Amino acid sequence: MYDIAIIGAGPAGATLARLIGNKYKVILIDKRQLDKEPEGVLPVKSCGGLVAPDAQKVLAQMELGLPKNVLAGPQLFTVRTIDLQCKEERYYQRYYINIDREKFDRWLVSMIPSSVETRYGCQFKSYRELEGQYEIVLSKDGKQKKEIAKVIVGADGAYSLIRRQLYPECRFEKMYISTQEWFEQEEVQPYFSALFDKEITDFYCWTIPKDKHLIVGAALEPGEKANARFELLKTKLVDYGFKLGNSVRREGAFILRPVSPTQIKLGLGRIILIGEAAGWISPSSAEGLSYAFRSALALAKSLEDRKQNILRSYYDNTLPIRVNISIKNLKAPFMYNAWLRKIIMGTGLEAININK
């Protein structure tokens, strides 16, 4: 029997396992085969792979520096903000670290203590409570296996199966499909583009250079029109002057957008949610790495304090993150209200001039 079972070895789950692995008997479960060198085309998370300043700050607080092999080029210092409908754009100075997301996740996993039991290549299926502990059902290679744990931590992303089992009636007011397509690129663009167009989405779209590719992405409302809207985005980009080469691959994932802190679900009893599984993600930019790290740190502190009510302690420790979510929701109208955005962009406030 394990003290803690962590479902999901992304940034939130891997960070928590690293922090508590020598203090508790921990099992870490992930559907990816993270203990072996990757072969062929990998299933890639639909993530632009940019470490934003907030995430950089948390990495610094954890005394972590990124190894060279996880970096991708180019490193970015500029955001090109484009309103596609009114054909207005501005450049803003921002500092992002461009990474290979798969290698980044493997690097985080590599720092987990050897005392942590790992089950890679295993699909979490379900759980049930048995006399003060939990029976966890896993599937690997078509065979089922069961594990027992006192506490379950859901770190299994935005479409968390644990959250859906724990809160079957809960529906986020705002849920999107993050769709990305990779295109071969001869000329590397030295900026990350943030694109706004209400014909496509009430959230935002993006382009990100990644080595010899350009990623085109959008946060789209689920439904029959999602694919057509993504095709419209590509058409508008070409009309605007973007050059899209041969398509290499396409990927997708769910994005939650908490419009109020009350939509953050921390868990029930001894089942606790961290990272995007809890809904920790920026409602203004969909940045999730900093929240993954911060929620893992908050729960690790609660577990280290060994208070009787872990969930209550976790709630208290995440107060600064809830405040941050509220501030981002106050910021969102200035980005997503077309009228306010046009005024802000028109002033040129904080914009920089680009010498072309």
Side-chain angles (χ1 to χ4, degrees), residues 261-262 264-267 272 280 298-299 302 309-322:
T262 60
I264 306 298
K265 301 298 182 183
L266 302 188
I272 304 171
W280 294 122
L299 181 54
S302 297
N309 192 330
I310 299 170
L311 191 58
R312 179 70 228 187
S313 176
Y314 176 51
Y315 178 85
D316 292 341
N317 289 338
T318 53
L319 174 61
I321 319 180
R322 293 197 303 280

PDB file of all heavy atoms in Angstrom, residues 261-262 264-267 272 280 298-299 302 309-322:
ATOM      1  N   PRO A 261     -12.522  32.235  -9.272  1.00  0.00           N
ATOM      2  CA  PRO A 261     -11.816  31.281  -8.408  1.00  0.00           C
ATOM      3  C   PRO A 261     -12.702  30.150  -7.899  1.00  0.00           C
ATOM      4  O   PRO A 261     -12.206  29.091  -7.529  1.00  0.00           O
ATOM      5  CB  PRO A 261     -11.315  32.152  -7.248  1.00  0.00           C
ATOM      6  CG  PRO A 261     -11.265  33.536  -7.792  1.00  0.00           C
ATOM      7  CD  PRO A 261     -12.405  33.615  -8.777  1.00  0.00           C
ATOM      8  N   THR A 262     -14.027  30.353  -7.879  1.00  0.00           N
ATOM      9  CA  THR A 262     -14.925  29.306  -7.389  1.00  0.00           C
ATOM     10  C   THR A 262     -14.927  28.088  -8.312  1.00  0.00           C
ATOM     11  O   THR A 262     -15.363  27.013  -7.912  1.00  0.00           O
ATOM     12  CB  THR A 262     -16.368  29.836  -7.255  1.00  0.00           C
ATOM     13  OG1 THR A 262     -16.829  30.285  -8.534  1.00  0.00           O
ATOM     14  CG2 THR A 262     -16.431  30.993  -6.269  1.00  0.00           C
ATOM     15  N   ILE A 264     -12.251  26.714  -9.448  1.00  0.00           N
ATOM     16  CA  ILE A 264     -11.087  25.884  -9.124  1.00  0.00           C
ATOM     17  C   ILE A 264     -11.550  24.796  -8.165  1.00  0.00           C
ATOM     18  O   ILE A 264     -12.122  25.074  -7.111  1.00  0.00           O
ATOM     19  CB  ILE A 264      -9.965  26.714  -8.461  1.00  0.00           C
ATOM     20  CG1 ILE A 264      -9.601  27.930  -9.318  1.00  0.00           C
ATOM     21  CG2 ILE A 264      -8.746  25.850  -8.206  1.00  0.00           C
ATOM     22  CD1 ILE A 264      -9.063  27.595 -10.673  1.00  0.00           C
ATOM     23  N   LYS A 265     -11.311  23.544  -8.539  1.00  0.00           N
ATOM     24  CA  LYS A 265     -11.736  22.409  -7.719  1.00  0.00           C
ATOM     25  C   LYS A 265     -10.505  21.733  -7.114  1.00  0.00           C
ATOM     26  O   LYS A 265      -9.696  21.145  -7.827  1.00  0.00           O
ATOM     27  CB  LYS A 265     -12.533  21.408  -8.566  1.00  0.00           C
ATOM     28  CG  LYS A 265     -13.788  21.986  -9.207  1.00  0.00           C
ATOM     29  CD  LYS A 265     -14.775  22.464  -8.157  1.00  0.00           C
ATOM     30  CE  LYS A 265     -16.047  23.009  -8.783  1.00  0.00           C
ATOM     31  NZ  LYS A 265     -16.980  23.547  -7.765  1.00  0.00           N
ATOM     32  N   LEU A 266     -10.372  21.847  -5.793  1.00  0.00           N
ATOM     33  CA  LEU A 266      -9.169  21.339  -5.130  1.00  0.00           C
ATOM     34  C   LEU A 266      -9.262  19.873  -4.734  1.00  0.00           C
ATOM     35  O   LEU A 266      -8.251  19.230  -4.471  1.00  0.00           O
ATOM     36  CB  LEU A 266      -8.862  22.173  -3.883  1.00  0.00           C
ATOM     37  CG  LEU A 266      -8.643  23.672  -4.109  1.00  0.00           C
ATOM     38  CD1 LEU A 266      -8.166  24.337  -2.827  1.00  0.00           C
ATOM     39  CD2 LEU A 266      -7.655  23.917  -5.234  1.00  0.00           C
ATOM     40  N   GLY A 267     -10.482  19.329  -4.690  1.00  0.00           N
ATOM     41  CA  GLY A 267     -10.628  17.930  -4.329  1.00  0.00           C
ATOM     42  C   GLY A 267     -11.652  17.738  -3.228  1.00  0.00           C
ATOM     43  O   GLY A 267     -12.261  18.688  -2.726  1.00  0.00           O
ATOM     44  N   ILE A 272      -7.086  14.864  -3.992  1.00  0.00           N
ATOM     45  CA  ILE A 272      -6.669  16.259  -4.152  1.00  0.00           C
ATOM     46  C   ILE A 272      -6.221  16.492  -5.592  1.00  0.00           C
ATOM     47  O   ILE A 272      -5.582  15.630  -6.203  1.00  0.00           O
ATOM     48  CB  ILE A 272      -5.520  16.587  -3.163  1.00  0.00           C
ATOM     49  CG1 ILE A 272      -5.984  16.274  -1.727  1.00  0.00           C
ATOM     50  CG2 ILE A 272      -5.101  18.045  -3.291  1.00  0.00           C
ATOM     51  CD1 ILE A 272      -4.885  16.336  -0.693  1.00  0.00           C
ATOM     52  N   TRP A 280      -6.173  25.078 -12.399  1.00  0.00           N
ATOM     53  CA  TRP A 280      -5.155  26.115 -12.236  1.00  0.00           C
ATOM     54  C   TRP A 280      -4.554  26.451 -13.602  1.00  0.00           C
ATOM     55  O   TRP A 280      -3.689  25.754 -14.117  1.00  0.00           O
ATOM     56  CB  TRP A 280      -4.039  25.645 -11.304  1.00  0.00           C
ATOM     57  CG  TRP A 280      -4.389  25.414  -9.867  1.00  0.00           C
ATOM     58  CD1 TRP A 280      -4.249  24.250  -9.168  1.00  0.00           C
ATOM     59  CD2 TRP A 280      -4.903  26.369  -8.926  1.00  0.00           C
ATOM     60  NE1 TRP A 280      -4.654  24.415  -7.864  1.00  0.00           N
ATOM     61  CE2 TRP A 280      -5.064  25.704  -7.691  1.00  0.00           C
ATOM     62  CE3 TRP A 280      -5.254  27.711  -9.025  1.00  0.00           C
ATOM     63  CZ2 TRP A 280      -5.559  26.347  -6.563  1.00  0.00           C
ATOM     64  CZ3 TRP A 280      -5.747  28.347  -7.892  1.00  0.00           C
ATOM     65  CH2 TRP A 280      -5.883  27.670  -6.676  1.00  0.00           C
ATOM     66  N   ALA A 298       2.452  24.088  -3.150  1.00  0.00           N
ATOM     67  CA  ALA A 298       1.477  24.313  -2.083  1.00  0.00           C
ATOM     68  C   ALA A 298       1.057  23.000  -1.439  1.00  0.00           C
ATOM     69  O   ALA A 298       0.963  22.897  -0.199  1.00  0.00           O
ATOM     70  CB  ALA A 298       0.260  25.051  -2.634  1.00  0.00           C
ATOM     71  N   LEU A 299       0.799  21.975  -2.256  1.00  0.00           N
ATOM     72  CA  LEU A 299       0.393  20.688  -1.703  1.00  0.00           C
ATOM     73  C   LEU A 299       1.559  20.009  -0.990  1.00  0.00           C
ATOM     74  O   LEU A 299       1.371  19.382   0.072  1.00  0.00           O
ATOM     75  CB  LEU A 299      -0.157  19.774  -2.802  1.00  0.00           C
ATOM     76  CG  LEU A 299      -0.635  18.399  -2.333  1.00  0.00           C
ATOM     77  CD1 LEU A 299      -1.661  18.517  -1.200  1.00  0.00           C
ATOM     78  CD2 LEU A 299      -1.226  17.606  -3.487  1.00  0.00           C
ATOM     79  N   SER A 302       1.734  21.360   2.418  1.00  0.00           N
ATOM     80  CA  SER A 302       0.663  20.819   3.261  1.00  0.00           C
ATOM     81  C   SER A 302       0.994  19.407   3.728  1.00  0.00           C
ATOM     82  O   SER A 302       0.744  19.044   4.881  1.00  0.00           O
ATOM     83  CB  SER A 302      -0.660  20.813   2.482  1.00  0.00           C
ATOM     84  OG  SER A 302      -1.048  22.112   2.139  1.00  0.00           O
ATOM     85  N   ASN A 309      -5.966  17.717   8.385  1.00  0.00           N
ATOM     86  CA  ASN A 309      -6.816  18.032   7.238  1.00  0.00           C
ATOM     87  C   ASN A 309      -5.927  18.582   6.117  1.00  0.00           C
ATOM     88  O   ASN A 309      -5.689  19.790   6.036  1.00  0.00           O
ATOM     89  CB  ASN A 309      -7.898  19.043   7.622  1.00  0.00           C
ATOM     90  CG  ASN A 309      -8.962  19.176   6.538  1.00  0.00           C
ATOM     91  OD1 ASN A 309      -8.696  19.001   5.358  1.00  0.00           O
ATOM     92  ND2 ASN A 309     -10.180  19.491   6.961  1.00  0.00           N
ATOM     93  N   ILE A 310      -5.446  17.691   5.265  1.00  0.00           N
ATOM     94  CA  ILE A 310      -4.532  18.086   4.195  1.00  0.00           C
ATOM     95  C   ILE A 310      -5.216  19.041   3.227  1.00  0.00           C
ATOM     96  O   ILE A 310      -4.630  20.037   2.793  1.00  0.00           O
ATOM     97  CB  ILE A 310      -4.020  16.846   3.439  1.00  0.00           C
ATOM     98  CG1 ILE A 310      -3.265  15.917   4.393  1.00  0.00           C
ATOM     99  CG2 ILE A 310      -3.106  17.246   2.280  1.00  0.00           C
ATOM    100  CD1 ILE A 310      -2.947  14.561   3.778  1.00  0.00           C
ATOM    101  N   LEU A 311      -6.457  18.743   2.900  1.00  0.00           N
ATOM    102  CA  LEU A 311      -7.173  19.553   1.914  1.00  0.00           C
ATOM    103  C   LEU A 311      -7.375  20.982   2.415  1.00  0.00           C
ATOM    104  O   LEU A 311      -7.227  21.944   1.649  1.00  0.00           O
ATOM    105  CB  LEU A 311      -8.519  18.906   1.580  1.00  0.00           C
ATOM    106  CG  LEU A 311      -9.285  19.483   0.390  1.00  0.00           C
ATOM    107  CD1 LEU A 311      -8.456  19.423  -0.887  1.00  0.00           C
ATOM    108  CD2 LEU A 311     -10.603  18.735   0.201  1.00  0.00           C
ATOM    109  N   ARG A 312      -7.698  21.138   3.698  1.00  0.00           N
ATOM    110  CA  ARG A 312      -7.874  22.474   4.273  1.00  0.00           C
ATOM    111  C   ARG A 312      -6.556  23.248   4.208  1.00  0.00           C
ATOM    112  O   ARG A 312      -6.523  24.432   3.870  1.00  0.00           O
ATOM    113  CB  ARG A 312      -8.351  22.357   5.720  1.00  0.00           C
ATOM    114  CG  ARG A 312      -8.555  23.675   6.433  1.00  0.00           C
ATOM    115  CD  ARG A 312      -9.758  24.410   5.885  1.00  0.00           C
ATOM    116  NE  ARG A 312      -9.425  25.800   5.594  1.00  0.00           N
ATOM    117  CZ  ARG A 312     -10.299  26.706   5.228  1.00  0.00           C
ATOM    118  NH1 ARG A 312     -11.571  26.374   5.088  1.00  0.00           N
ATOM    119  NH2 ARG A 312      -9.940  27.935   4.975  1.00  0.00           N
ATOM    120  N   SER A 313      -5.476  22.575   4.544  1.00  0.00           N
ATOM    121  CA  SER A 313      -4.157  23.206   4.499  1.00  0.00           C
ATOM    122  C   SER A 313      -3.792  23.602   3.076  1.00  0.00           C
ATOM    123  O   SER A 313      -3.256  24.685   2.829  1.00  0.00           O
ATOM    124  CB  SER A 313      -3.099  22.250   5.061  1.00  0.00           C
ATOM    125  OG  SER A 313      -1.804  22.798   4.945  1.00  0.00           O
ATOM    126  N   TYR A 314      -4.105  22.734   2.135  1.00  0.00           N
ATOM    127  CA  TYR A 314      -3.838  23.014   0.721  1.00  0.00           C
ATOM    128  C   TYR A 314      -4.649  24.225   0.260  1.00  0.00           C
ATOM    129  O   TYR A 314      -4.137  25.092  -0.462  1.00  0.00           O
ATOM    130  CB  TYR A 314      -4.194  21.773  -0.099  1.00  0.00           C
ATOM    131  CG  TYR A 314      -4.062  21.902  -1.611  1.00  0.00           C
ATOM    132  CD1 TYR A 314      -2.905  22.378  -2.208  1.00  0.00           C
ATOM    133  CD2 TYR A 314      -5.115  21.500  -2.450  1.00  0.00           C
ATOM    134  CE1 TYR A 314      -2.795  22.478  -3.600  1.00  0.00           C
ATOM    135  CE2 TYR A 314      -5.008  21.582  -3.833  1.00  0.00           C
ATOM    136  CZ  TYR A 314      -3.850  22.078  -4.396  1.00  0.00           C
ATOM    137  OH  TYR A 314      -3.746  22.166  -5.767  1.00  0.00           O
ATOM    138  N   TYR A 315      -5.884  24.316   0.693  1.00  0.00           N
ATOM    139  CA  TYR A 315      -6.727  25.467   0.361  1.00  0.00           C
ATOM    140  C   TYR A 315      -6.080  26.760   0.875  1.00  0.00           C
ATOM    141  O   TYR A 315      -6.001  27.767   0.160  1.00  0.00           O
ATOM    142  CB  TYR A 315      -8.116  25.287   0.970  1.00  0.00           C
ATOM    143  CG  TYR A 315      -9.055  26.444   0.721  1.00  0.00           C
ATOM    144  CD1 TYR A 315      -9.800  26.519  -0.461  1.00  0.00           C
ATOM    145  CD2 TYR A 315      -9.201  27.469   1.662  1.00  0.00           C
ATOM    146  CE1 TYR A 315     -10.651  27.590  -0.700  1.00  0.00           C
ATOM    147  CE2 TYR A 315     -10.054  28.540   1.431  1.00  0.00           C
ATOM    148  CZ  TYR A 315     -10.778  28.597   0.247  1.00  0.00           C
ATOM    149  OH  TYR A 315     -11.617  29.660   0.011  1.00  0.00           O
ATOM    150  N   ASP A 316      -5.604  26.738   2.122  1.00  0.00           N
ATOM    151  CA  ASP A 316      -4.967  27.928   2.696  1.00  0.00           C
ATOM    152  C   ASP A 316      -3.691  28.278   1.940  1.00  0.00           C
ATOM    153  O   ASP A 316      -3.409  29.458   1.683  1.00  0.00           O
ATOM    154  CB  ASP A 316      -4.639  27.684   4.176  1.00  0.00           C
ATOM    155  CG  ASP A 316      -5.886  27.560   5.043  1.00  0.00           C
ATOM    156  OD1 ASP A 316      -6.968  27.999   4.601  1.00  0.00           O
ATOM    157  OD2 ASP A 316      -5.778  26.985   6.150  1.00  0.00           O
ATOM    158  N   ASN A 317      -2.903  27.281   1.587  1.00  0.00           N
ATOM    159  CA  ASN A 317      -1.619  27.516   0.916  1.00  0.00           C
ATOM    160  C   ASN A 317      -1.783  28.015  -0.521  1.00  0.00           C
ATOM    161  O   ASN A 317      -0.831  28.564  -1.094  1.00  0.00           O
ATOM    162  CB  ASN A 317      -0.770  26.241   0.917  1.00  0.00           C
ATOM    163  CG  ASN A 317      -0.244  25.893   2.287  1.00  0.00           C
ATOM    164  OD1 ASN A 317      -0.149  26.751   3.171  1.00  0.00           O
ATOM    165  ND2 ASN A 317       0.096  24.627   2.499  1.00  0.00           N
ATOM    166  N   THR A 318      -2.963  27.804  -1.095  1.00  0.00           N
ATOM    167  CA  THR A 318      -3.181  28.249  -2.475  1.00  0.00           C
ATOM    168  C   THR A 318      -3.908  29.597  -2.560  1.00  0.00           C
ATOM    169  O   THR A 318      -4.279  30.020  -3.650  1.00  0.00           O
ATOM    170  CB  THR A 318      -3.984  27.199  -3.282  1.00  0.00           C
ATOM    171  OG1 THR A 318      -5.191  26.872  -2.581  1.00  0.00           O
ATOM    172  CG2 THR A 318      -3.161  25.946  -3.511  1.00  0.00           C
ATOM    173  N   LEU A 319      -4.068  30.273  -1.433  1.00  0.00           N
ATOM    174  CA  LEU A 319      -4.706  31.589  -1.451  1.00  0.00           C
ATOM    175  C   LEU A 319      -4.021  32.545  -2.430  1.00  0.00           C
ATOM    176  O   LEU A 319      -4.705  33.207  -3.230  1.00  0.00           O
ATOM    177  CB  LEU A 319      -4.745  32.191  -0.044  1.00  0.00           C
ATOM    178  CG  LEU A 319      -5.266  33.642   0.045  1.00  0.00           C
ATOM    179  CD1 LEU A 319      -6.711  33.734  -0.458  1.00  0.00           C
ATOM    180  CD2 LEU A 319      -5.146  34.171   1.473  1.00  0.00           C
ATOM    181  N   PRO A 320      -2.687  32.639  -2.433  1.00  0.00           N
ATOM    182  CA  PRO A 320      -2.037  33.558  -3.388  1.00  0.00           C
ATOM    183  C   PRO A 320      -2.336  33.201  -4.849  1.00  0.00           C
ATOM    184  O   PRO A 320      -2.408  34.096  -5.697  1.00  0.00           O
ATOM    185  CB  PRO A 320      -0.540  33.399  -3.080  1.00  0.00           C
ATOM    186  CG  PRO A 320      -0.482  32.888  -1.683  1.00  0.00           C
ATOM    187  CD  PRO A 320      -1.687  32.010  -1.542  1.00  0.00           C
ATOM    188  N   ILE A 321      -2.517  31.921  -5.136  1.00  0.00           N
ATOM    189  CA  ILE A 321      -2.797  31.518  -6.518  1.00  0.00           C
ATOM    190  C   ILE A 321      -4.221  31.919  -6.890  1.00  0.00           C
ATOM    191  O   ILE A 321      -4.483  32.360  -8.008  1.00  0.00           O
ATOM    192  CB  ILE A 321      -2.587  30.006  -6.723  1.00  0.00           C
ATOM    193  CG1 ILE A 321      -1.347  29.501  -5.989  1.00  0.00           C
ATOM    194  CG2 ILE A 321      -2.461  29.700  -8.210  1.00  0.00           C
ATOM    195  CD1 ILE A 321      -1.090  28.009  -6.158  1.00  0.00           C
ATOM    196  N   ARG A 322      -5.160  31.776  -5.957  1.00  0.00           N
ATOM    197  CA  ARG A 322      -6.540  32.198  -6.233  1.00  0.00           C
ATOM    198  C   ARG A 322      -6.621  33.703  -6.457  1.00  0.00           C
ATOM    199  O   ARG A 322      -7.356  34.171  -7.325  1.00  0.00           O
ATOM    200  CB  ARG A 322      -7.463  31.765  -5.093  1.00  0.00           C
ATOM    201  CG  ARG A 322      -7.629  30.245  -4.982  1.00  0.00           C
ATOM    202  CD  ARG A 322      -8.836  29.877  -4.139  1.00  0.00           C
ATOM    203  NE  ARG A 322      -8.793  30.447  -2.806  1.00  0.00           N
ATOM    204  CZ  ARG A 322      -8.080  29.950  -1.796  1.00  0.00           C
ATOM    205  NH1 ARG A 322      -7.359  28.841  -1.971  1.00  0.00           N
ATOM    206  NH2 ARG A 322      -8.112  30.517  -0.609  1.00  0.00           N
TER     207      ARG A 322
END
